[in-house]
């Protein structure tokens, strides 16, 4: 029986898309995800009401396509926009074209170390992640298997989700296991702002009852002192975890915050961390209880496999930042990823809608806060690119 030889990679293309999408993409007026959310820029009153005012969506969406010699196309959606498209076309493509899609380890190594002198985290690793996700999508399509089969198969029959959004009370009615709220007031709003935060949490606790998970996403907005005072005040309302409270670069601050928070409250972070080396720092310095890499930003599936194994060895959970199918296919295969995040992209949010709309066709969404593994049973990541959206290819090679 001859071994299967997959067709080689022929073309790598990078496109930008504006409008819609998930976190950090373009959202319309009045969307919960851009309504007075505390950020590191909240210290400037002019940038306090809207994250778009300081440019959270300035990069926009990146779509990476990888076409094999037989015409099969793998693709992926992440953020990074035009600068990431430049990096994909002008730098990364050379490590894929003419290669086998099965060489994803060597390809990742060459993408990372060829850009290390200007990359390592952020935009460059977003671009690498987009290429890596498209490569796994292509592998699955060529092998006619869902990505989760290529990662070792499901360790449970279904995914369960917590919901991120401003309405945990609605999330509870929709069957989610918990609700993560955006924090609205940062240190610049003083004790009055802290009291408003606590009042919002108390209100949601009253609406959701005593056992429903309630969490805060603090989006890098706080300092150790404020986060400590907030956690202590939130404890009586059963805050389950305080997420990304301080700067991702302040590993020492996270180490201190984890010591400061009340017993039983979890400290989580990682969505703006990248690569096995960044997460090794978080793990070995005991910065948090749960790491939350975004598979579209941390280095892709190839790197998340390494990050997850490291976390497992440290006895830590890996609950990836909301990235739709790109994280679902991973979470279903890992024991130390017992649940997933669903980002409520409905403006209210009062309804479950696909996260990457309108970019993806066939994107599965949780029903009653759950998704059966069988819902992922389609080649690759199981979604198709909506080719009716306006895609722009700013660079070629
Ligand atoms: C405002 C939101 O809470 C964040 O952008 C959130 O969507 C992200 O940090 C997350 O954890 O989902
Ligand atoms: Mg977050």
């Amino acid at each position: 029986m001859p071994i299967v030889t997959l067709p080689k990679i022929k073309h790598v293309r990078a496109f930008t898309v504006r409008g819609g999408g998930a976190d950090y993409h373009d959202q319309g007026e009045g969307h919960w995800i851009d309504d007075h959310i505390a950020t590191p820029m909240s210290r400037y009153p002019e940038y306090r009401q809207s994250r778009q005012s300081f440019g959270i969506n300035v990069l926009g969406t990146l779509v990476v396509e990888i076409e094999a010699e037989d015409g099969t196309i793998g693709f992926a959606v992440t953020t990074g926009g035009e600068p990431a498209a430049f990096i994909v076309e002008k730098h990364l493509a050379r490590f894929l074209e003419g290669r086998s899609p099965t060489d994803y380890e060597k390809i990742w190594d060459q993408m990372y170390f060829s850009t290390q002198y200007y990359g390592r985290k952020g935009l460059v690793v977003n671009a690498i992640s987009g290429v890596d996700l498209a490569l796994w999508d292509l592998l699955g399509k060529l092998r006619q298997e869902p990505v989760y089969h290529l990662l070792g198969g499901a360790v449970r029959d279904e995914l369960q989700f917590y919901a991120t959004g401003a309405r945990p009370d609605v999330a509870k009615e929709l069957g989610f296991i918990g609700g993560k709220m955006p924090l609205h007031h940062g240190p610049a709003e003083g004790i009055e702002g802290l009291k408003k935060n606590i009042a919002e949490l108390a209100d949601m606790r009253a609406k959701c009852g005593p056992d429903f998970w309630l969490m805060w996403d603090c989006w890098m907005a706080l300092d150790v002192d404020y986060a400590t005072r907030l956690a202590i005040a939130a404890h009586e309302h059963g805050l389950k975890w305080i997420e990304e409270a301080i700067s991702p670069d302040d590993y020492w601050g996270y180490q201190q915050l984890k010591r400061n928070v009340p017993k039983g409250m979890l400290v989580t972070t990682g969505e703006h961390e990248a690569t096995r080396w960044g997460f090794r720092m978080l793990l070995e310095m005991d910065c948090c209880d749960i790491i939350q890499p975004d598979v579209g930003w941390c280095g892709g599936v190839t790197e998340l496999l390494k990050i997850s194994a490291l976390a497992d060895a440290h006895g830590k959970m890996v609950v990836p930042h909301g990235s739709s199918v790109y994280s679902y296919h991973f979470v279903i295969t890992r024991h130390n990823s017992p649940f997933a995040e669903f980002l409520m992209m409905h403006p209210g949010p009062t309804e479950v809608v696909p996260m990457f709309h309108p970019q993806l066709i066939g994107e599965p969404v949780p029903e009653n806060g759950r998704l059966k593994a069988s819902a992922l049973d389609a080649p690759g990541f199981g979604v198709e690119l909506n080719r009716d959206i306006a895609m722009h290819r700013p660079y070629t090679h």
Side-chain angles (χ1 to χ4, degrees):
M1 184 86 150
I3 60 163
V4 173
T5 303
L6 298 184
K8 293 199 184 310
I9 295 166
K10 191 172 179 186
H11 294 301
V12 176
R13 294 182 284 267
F15 300 89
T16 61
V17 173
R18 296 304 318 197
D23 234 347
Y24 311 1
H25 300 254
D26 299 320
Q27 300 307 335
E29 287 295 309
H31 197 297
W32 73 266
I33 209 165
D34 199 25
D35 180 13
H36 202 285
I37 286 175
T39 78
M41 292 292 283
S42 299
R43 66 183 72 166
Y44 305 104
E46 64 271 35
Y47 297 124
R48 198 171 287 171
Q49 173 52 37
S50 156
R51 297 195 294 179
Q52 292 193 42
S53 69
F54 67 73
I56 192 169
N57 62 327
V58 70
L59 292 177
T61 305
L62 170 72
V63 176
V64 178
E65 264 191 346
I66 303 177
E67 182 178 348
E69 287 170 338
D70 69 349
T72 306
I73 292 177
F75 83 97
V77 177
T78 184
T79 51
E82 185 165 334
F86 179 91
I87 294 165
V88 173
E89 297 269 2
K90 303 297 186 184
H91 202 166
L92 304 182
R94 72 186 73 190
F95 302 116
L96 289 101
E97 288 169 351
R99 300 278 186 81
S100 165
T102 57
D103 289 342
Y104 55 81
E105 277 290 348
K106 181 164 75 172
I107 289 169
W108 194 96
D109 191 73
Q110 291 176 347
M111 289 196 293
Y112 180 78
F113 287 104
S114 66
T115 57
Q116 189 177 41
Y117 68 98
Y118 70 93
R120 299 178 50 240
K121 293 180 192 284
L123 177 64
V124 175
V125 183
N126 282 26
I128 291 171
S129 303
V131 171
D132 185 77
L133 290 173
L135 197 48
W136 279 92
D137 189 47
L138 177 63
L139 264 179
K141 286 170 176 167
L142 289 170
R143 288 177 169 160
Q144 284 294 290
E145 287 194 88
V147 167
Y148 83 90
H149 282 193
L150 307 180
L151 298 178
V155 297
R156 58 186 77 87
D157 294 337
E158 64 179 14
L159 289 165
Q160 55 180 353
F161 294 85
Y162 75 85
T164 296
R167 293 294 305 275
D169 54 330
V170 172
K172 181 180 182 185
E173 290 166 13
L174 292 169
F176 289 97
I177 58 172
K180 181 171 77 180
M181 300 172 283
L183 189 76
H184 286 122
H185 307 284
E189 297 180 66
I191 187 65
E192 287 316 309
L194 193 148
K195 287 178 180 174
K196 286 179 187 171
N197 288 328
I198 296 299
E200 285 178 25
L201 176 61
D203 174 54
M204 275 302 158
R205 177 52 71 203
K207 288 172 178 167
C208 297
D211 304 323
F212 188 64
W213 292 1
L214 288 178
M215 299 78 84
W216 255 324
D217 189 307
C218 305
W219 213 74
M220 308 172 277
L222 313 179
D223 53 55
V224 174
D225 171 62
Y226 187 98
T228 300
R229 287 185 290 122
L230 184 73
I232 291 167
H235 196 40
E236 68 174 291
H237 305 294
L239 188 74
K240 184 175 181 68
W241 78 60
I242 183 167
E243 177 170 326
E244 212 180 20
I246 49 182
S247 164
D249 297 316
D250 189 359
Y251 302 101
W252 305 270
Y254 276 106
Q255 197 179 53
Q256 185 58 55
L257 179 61
K258 188 168 179 293
R259 292 184 190 129
N260 292 357
V261 299
K263 283 258 172 291
M265 186 181 294
L266 303 175
V267 173
T268 73
T269 192
E271 80 183 66
H272 296 101
E273 189 51 83
T275 78
R276 71 202 81 154
W277 298 288
F279 284 92
R280 177 182 176 187
M281 191 73 110
L282 286 177
L283 293 163
E284 291 192 2
M285 288 186 64
D286 196 19
C287 294
C288 56
D289 300 285
I290 301 176
I291 61 169
Q292 302 166 303
D294 182 298
V295 68
W297 304 341
C298 72
V301 166
T302 305
E303 194 64 2
L304 185 54
L305 284 164
K306 299 179 174 72
I307 293 165
S308 176
L310 205 53
D312 202 7
H314 283 262
K316 301 290 182 186
M317 284 187 273
V318 180
V319 182
H321 171 244
S323 41
S324 187
V325 289
Y326 301 112
S327 52
Y328 304 166
H329 280 258
F330 188 88
V331 168
I332 197 89
T333 69
R334 289 306 183 273
H335 285 292
N336 64 323
S337 297
F339 52 88
E341 175 181 358
F342 184 74
L343 190 49
M344 299 285 277
M345 291 315 298
H346 179 265
T350 52
E351 293 172 39
V352 172
V353 298
M355 280 182 58
F356 283 95
H357 176 79
Q359 288 89 347
L360 299 183
I361 292 172
E363 181 183 357
V365 294
E367 286 175 29
N368 194 32
R370 283 152 180 78
L371 194 66
K372 292 233 175 291
S374 55
L376 304 177
D377 282 346
F381 287 106
V383 289
E384 287 308 325
L385 182 60
N386 177 2
R387 297 195 178 275
D388 293 338
I389 60 175
M391 292 209 319
H392 173 53
R393 187 179 182 193
Y395 305 99
T396 58
H397 63 276

